[in-house]
Amino acid sequence: PKSPLLPLVLFRHAENAYFQMLAAEKIQDAGTRAKEVARLQDETAKRYQNVIEKFPEFQHVNLARYGLGMIHYKKGDFEKAQATLD
C-alpha cells in the first residue's frame, strides 16, 4: 500500500478495464453486449475515479480524467463528461 508504484498499478488496472469494455462493445449478441458494457463502464469509472481522487499529482492523472470523461460520454451523461474533461 505504501509503494511508489501504486498509482501506476491502479491506473493500469483501470486502463485494462477500459480496454475490456471496448472489446465487449464488439459482442454480437445485443442483450449480452448491453449488459456487459454497462457493467464494465461502471467498473472502469470507479477505477479511474479512484486514481483521480487518491493520486491527484500522478503523472498520468490527465489520462485517467480523459478515460473517465469518455465513460461518461459513452453513457450519454454529457454534463459529467464536460465537467470531468474541463
Side-chain angles (χ1 to χ4, degrees):
K2 297 186 187 262
S3 171
L5 298 176
L6 183 61
L8 183 60
V9 170
L10 292 176
F11 174 72
R12 295 296 177 208
H13 190 60
E15 197 173 45
N16 287 340
Y18 185 81
F19 291 132
Q20 287 177 346
M21 181 201 65
L22 293 178
E25 289 176 348
K26 297 177 183 175
I27 295 174
Q28 296 296 322
D29 181 36
T32 305
R33 179 179 56 234
K35 188 185 308 181
E36 190 66 15
V37 168
R39 182 185 69 79
L40 287 169
Q41 283 177 337
D42 293 339
E43 182 65 27
T44 303
K46 182 173 59 171
R47 291 179 186 183
Y48 275 136
Q49 190 65 42
N50 188 24
V51 172
I52 293 166
E53 289 174 357
K54 287 187 176 183
F55 305 101
E57 300 300 321
F58 175 55
Q59 63 185 352
H60 298 302
V61 75
N62 288 330
L63 292 174
R65 286 187 185 109
Y66 177 77
L68 182 59
M70 292 305 296
I71 294 296
H72 291 310
Y73 179 80
K74 287 179 182 253
K75 284 181 162 185
D77 194 351
F78 301 119
E79 290 83 22
K80 278 187 180 180
Q82 183 179 8
T84 303
L85 295 172
D86 276 345

